[in-house]
Amino acid sequence: MIRSLGSVLFASLLTPTALAADPPVTPSAVVAQAPASAWRVIAADDLLVMTIAGDKRVVIQLAPAFGPRHVGNIRALAKAHWWDGTSINRVQDNYVVQWGDVTEKKALPPGLSPTSPADYVRSIANVRLAVTPLPYADPYAPATGFVDGWPVAMDGDGAWLPHCYGFVGVGRNMSPDAGTGAELYTVIGQAPRQLDRNIAVVGRVIEGMAHLTSLPRGSGDLGFYTADEKTVPILSVRLASDMAEKARPRYEVMDVGSASFADYLRLRANRKDDFYDRPAGGVDLCNAPVPIRPISVKPAP
Amino acid sequence: MIRSLGSVLFASLLTPTALAADPPVTPSAVVAQAPASAWRVIAADDLLVMTIAGDKRVVIQLAPAFGPRHVGNIRALAKAHWWDGTSINRVQDNYVVQWGDVTEKKALPPGLSPTSPADYVRSIANVRLAVTPLPYADPYAPATGFVDGWPVAMDGDGAWLPHCYGFVGVGRNMSPDAGTGAELYTVIGQAPRQLDRNIAVVGRVIEGMAHLTSLPRGSGDLGFYTADEKTVPILSVRLASDMAEKARPRYEVMDVGSASFADYLRLRANRKDDFYDRPAGGVDLCNAPVPIRPISVKPAP
């Protein structure tokens, strides 16, 4: 500690006037200091609130721009209260937590959209928003970046959401089944990017992830709970837009086109501070999560 | 399901004699079918057995070739029973589980080696074993591959173990402190590769990872348990080589120079089967864990 403090003092002696004007040197400092203009409110229609046993709340941000048919179905399922009384049935370490109807017999509400593997990738023509590129190599895609608050992988034809930690996908049967949206999972380990473009990714967990990751792992095949183990009851799933205003979670996401986000990305790729000596010079798509924070200001009465 | 079955039947009609000779199409099938010659026994001196509250067993494989001074210290600490009565003190979601002496006052056994940041990277001259390259881009290092059962990142000067899920690193204070080995952590989320070459990586959890990942997250700063939360007692930590032979865990690791490992890597990067339609054409260093399995054959009496 003494030697470390010495280094800091030595640096400050070399540049004695620089200290006050120094820019933030950690990603978290950038986030803490980002101006209000660097944040975008997440629409209440894009927030899915799942309450599980113990009244624990999990909030998922939906991504309608990337999975419009599946997200439409998920909204319809929430409005029908379809998940109430279902359960978390699978917890596979370093892979996924999965929930839905364990009986696989519960009737779906009418009017759900048909889905297909074509829904896994958005054509470039449909992604009209600006892309902030991530200028580091990715083993899974020719290009990566950030669009409208989301990380994306891209090729010449389209863009898709990656299977990052906390991202939510749609369980399905064997290909070409693409799932309805009734069976969902979230990633709880190293990003299983081999699933990209093989499954629909529809959102990400932005609150309560630890309620899912700390669940006991299932001892059955693929981490499913066996008959001797208890599934975890889901009490309710609602869109925030269907909740009383004062009960709604409210979140904002950093604008990926902002100067703050550029600083954040640069520092995620180049850690250099009292703890980090050797910057990596790069960062992977799933290791630079777009900053998201609760909105503490209450809505006007 | 019917359409999927149809595809399989159609393929078999095109190549009616190919079925029996087909190579395995999934990584797990390759592992299951690997011959005995593709496996290498892990030395008992490289297995660290940690027993935590509830008599839950966690087994760590040490990597003496990559962290010789730290691994030497860890062996000395285990022989001194130094961790007995210490605890797991930090569980930070999508980051690490960390254990050691929560008081930070317990005296260390005599004779531990001094360490420094020079210990984070092994010079190429010291890595004499064959490298199996991973031929996909990595955002954190110029080259990656596998050496002697371990994934490695490399540059022109040296090789180092990456911070993959389940890998074990040495907690330390501010740089240039490099830690003794008494404070350890394991990765429980997306690989925090920014820590590579900034911290010593000394091994990986090969059994009981779920006992750590399913622990409640700490609500204090950095995921440390607060005074209101219970740390998790560590009952004992022993080298397998210091345990009675019949009580020892016994494991083997796939030879990364074997044909089986080449097949496994190819399929991890190119999933194409009844479930996967679209192969990624690549895989990241932390998403192709070297296969490890318990040895079920009992030692000769």
Side-chain angles (χ1 to χ4, degrees):
Chain A
M1 296 297 286
I2 288 168
R3 288 169 70 192
S4 173
L5 183 60
S7 304
V8 172
L9 290 173
F10 184 66
S12 68
L13 285 171
L14 285 176
T15 55
T17 61
L19 205 61
D22 274 353
V25 296
T26 66
S28 55
V30 168
V31 174
Q33 295 173 31
S37 61
W39 297 93
R40 301 282 173 268
V41 174
I42 299 174
D45 216 32
D46 290 348
L47 293 177
L48 196 66
V49 181
M50 175 163 74
T51 306
I52 65 174
D55 273 329
K56 293 173 181 168
R57 188 170 88 165
V58 176
V59 180
I60 294 163
Q61 180 190 6
L62 299 171
F66 291 92
R69 285 197 188 85
H70 287 99
V71 168
N73 287 352
I74 289 166
R75 287 177 176 147
L77 288 155
K79 284 177 184 296
H81 299 188
W82 189 83
W83 281 290
D84 300 14
T86 64
S87 52
I88 297 169
N89 307 310
R90 177 189 186 191
V91 184
Q92 184 172 4
D93 199 61
N94 193 17
Y95 202 45
V96 296
V97 171
Q98 187 169 328
W99 61 93
D101 169 35
V102 72
T103 70
E104 297 188 51
K105 289 178 180 169
K106 187 170 181 174
L108 293 169
L112 298 189
S113 295
T115 61
S116 83
D119 294 314
Y120 301 156
V121 177
R122 296 299 287 161
S123 78
I124 288 293
N126 286 326
V127 181
R128 297 171 190 280
L129 295 159
V131 176
T132 300
L134 182 67
Y136 309 112
D138 183 271
Y140 301 96
T144 59
F146 298 87
V147 171
D148 195 26
W150 296 91
V152 291
M154 297 171 281
D155 64 10
D157 298 324
W160 59 94
L161 296 183
H163 274 81
C164 295
Y165 190 92
F167 275 52
V168 175
V170 174
R172 62 166 174 81
N173 290 316
M174 291 300 167
S175 175
D177 178 61
T180 59
E183 185 83 12
L184 297 173
Y185 63 87
T186 188
V187 170
I188 60 165
Q190 179 67 12
R193 299 273 310 275
Q194 72 276 11
L195 294 169
D196 292 3
R197 291 188 284 181
N198 282 290
I199 290 194
V201 179
V202 293
R204 60 186 160 202
V205 175
I206 62 172
E207 178 190 310
M209 186 65 182
H211 298 318
L212 304 177
T213 54
S214 62
L215 291 172
R217 276 48 187 163
S219 65
D221 284 348
L222 305 174
F224 279 95
Y225 289 130
T226 62
D228 293 339
E229 293 167 333
K230 285 181 182 167
T231 60
V232 179
I234 293 174
L235 307 182
S236 70
V237 176
R238 297 288 181 276
L239 285 170
S241 51
D242 287 334
M243 296 169 66
E245 195 154 335
K246 68 178 180 181
R248 292 178 186 179
R250 291 161 47 85
Y251 278 90
E252 53 193 2
V253 57
M254 190 173 274
D255 178 355
V256 297
S258 67
S260 296
F261 188 73
D263 284 345
Y264 167 83
L265 263 194
R266 178 177 49 77
L267 290 168
R268 287 293 297 194
N270 297 283
R271 298 299 304 261
K272 177 75 177 167
D273 49 46
D274 288 350
F275 190 81
Y276 287 89
D277 256 345
R278 192 150 184 176
V283 65
D284 79 78
L285 183 63
C286 290
N287 197 18
V290 180
I292 292 175
R293 65 180 188 184
I295 300 174
S296 53
V297 179
K298 288 178 181 169
Chain B
M1 295 297 286
I2 289 168
R3 286 169 70 192
S4 174
L5 182 61
S7 304
V8 173
L9 289 173
F10 184 67
S12 68
L13 285 172
L14 286 175
T15 54
T17 60
L19 204 59
D22 274 351
V25 295
T26 67
S28 55
V30 167
V31 174
Q33 294 172 32
S37 60
W39 298 93
R40 300 282 174 269
V41 174
I42 298 175
D45 216 31
D46 290 348
L47 294 176
L48 196 66
V49 181
M50 175 164 74
T51 307
I52 65 173
D55 272 329
K56 293 172 180 169
R57 188 170 87 166
V58 176
V59 180
I60 293 162
Q61 181 191 5
L62 300 171
F66 291 93
R69 284 196 190 86
H70 288 98
V71 168
N73 288 351
I74 289 167
R75 287 177 176 146
L77 287 156
K79 285 177 186 294
H81 299 188
W82 188 84
W83 281 290
D84 299 14
T86 64
S87 52
I88 297 169
N89 307 311
R90 177 188 186 192
V91 184
Q92 183 172 4
D93 199 60
N94 194 16
Y95 202 46
V96 297
V97 172
Q98 188 170 326
W99 61 93
D101 169 35
V102 72
T103 71
E104 298 189 48
K105 290 177 180 170
K106 186 169 181 176
L108 294 168
L112 298 189
S113 297
T115 61
S116 83
D119 294 315
Y120 301 156
V121 178
R122 295 300 286 162
S123 78
I124 288 294
N126 286 325
V127 181
R128 297 172 188 280
L129 296 157
V131 176
T132 300
L134 182 66
Y136 309 112
D138 183 90
Y140 301 96
T144 59
F146 299 87
V147 171
D148 195 26
W150 295 92
V152 291
M154 298 170 281
D155 65 9
D157 298 324
W160 59 94
L161 296 183
H163 273 81
C164 296
Y165 190 92
F167 275 52
V168 174
V170 174
R172 63 166 173 82
N173 290 316
M174 291 299 166
S175 176
D177 178 61
T180 59
E183 186 82 13
L184 297 173
Y185 63 87
T186 188
V187 171
I188 60 164
Q190 180 67 12
R193 297 275 308 277
Q194 71 277 10
L195 294 169
D196 292 4
R197 291 187 285 180
N198 282 289
I199 291 195
V201 178
V202 293
R204 61 187 160 201
V205 175
I206 63 171
E207 179 190 311
M209 185 65 182
H211 298 318
L212 304 177
T213 55
S214 62
L215 291 172
R217 275 51 186 161
S219 65
D221 284 348
L222 305 175
F224 279 95
Y225 288 130
T226 63
D228 293 340
E229 294 166 333
K230 285 182 182 165
T231 60
V232 180
I234 293 174
L235 307 182
S236 70
V237 175
R238 297 288 181 276
L239 285 170
S241 50
D242 287 333
M243 296 169 65
E245 193 153 338
K246 68 178 181 181
R248 294 179 185 178
R250 291 161 48 85
Y251 277 90
E252 54 193 2
V253 57
M254 189 174 274
D255 177 354
V256 297
S258 68
S260 295
F261 189 72
D263 284 346
Y264 167 83
L265 263 194
R266 178 176 49 77
L267 290 168
R268 287 293 296 195
N270 297 283
R271 298 298 303 260
K272 178 74 177 167
D273 48 47
D274 289 350
F275 190 82
Y276 287 89
D277 255 346
R278 192 151 184 174
V283 66
D284 79 78
L285 183 62
C286 290
N287 196 18
V290 179
I292 292 176
R293 65 180 188 184
I295 300 174
S296 51
V297 180
K298 289 179 182 169

